[in-house]
């Protein structure tokens, strides 16, 4: 019985370490891209709850330089999404429904 308990505890510890490792594998570039996606989503009046949660979890290990670049990328995404150019709006909608989906889960 003690062996089963010890094995279960070891498996739980490995699972926790694995999820922490997965969170640590988020690159600075991914974080900046996700911030841009958030800017586009805000301008498109899309739901940003999933993106906000992803960014919050990924922000814990970011330097101030990366955080500043992410803020610039978010602002750029907002400004770009406010365009009246139909072709650009279509490209941004494709970006929001395509690559940006990777940052929602």
């Amino acid at each position: 019985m003690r062996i089963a308990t010890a094995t279960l505890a070891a498996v739980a510890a490995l699972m926790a370490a694995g999820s922490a490792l997965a969170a640590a594998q988020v690159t600075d570039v991914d974080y900046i891209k996700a911030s841009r996606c958030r800017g586009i989503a805000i301008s498109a009046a899309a739901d940003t709850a999933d993106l906000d949660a992803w960014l919050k979890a990924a922000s814990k290990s970011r330097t101030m330089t990366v955080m500043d670049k992410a803020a610039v990328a978010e602002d750029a995404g907002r400004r770009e999404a406010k365009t009246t150019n139909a072709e650009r709006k279509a490209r941004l909608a494709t970006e929001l429904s395509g690559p940006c989906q990777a940052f929602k889960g």
Side-chain angles (χ1 to χ4, degrees):
M1 189 65 155
R2 283 189 237 175
I3 294 173
T5 304
T7 303
L8 184 60
V11 168
L14 285 174
M15 288 177 61
S19 65
L21 181 61
Q25 291 178 343
V26 173
T27 66
D28 292 341
V29 173
D30 288 339
Y31 185 80
I32 293 168
K33 286 179 182 178
S35 295
R36 172 182 163 74
C37 290
R38 184 175 188 277
I40 295 168
I42 287 172
S43 289
D47 181 27
T48 62
D50 291 339
L51 265 173
D52 292 341
W54 190 94
L55 285 165
K56 183 178 179 182
S59 70
K60 295 177 180 165
S61 63
R62 304 293 152 216
T63 64
M64 284 306 291
T65 303
V66 173
M67 298 294 279
D68 290 343
K69 288 181 181 181
V72 169
E74 182 177 331
D75 290 341
R78 281 185 189 159
R79 281 192 311 275
E80 194 174 344
K82 288 182 181 181
T83 185
T84 57
N85 183 325
E87 183 179 316
R88 183 175 286 167
K89 278 195 177 281
R91 184 180 54 80
L92 292 173
T94 301
E95 183 178 346
L96 193 59
S97 64
C100 290
Q101 295 299 310
F103 307 116
K104 290 190 171 187

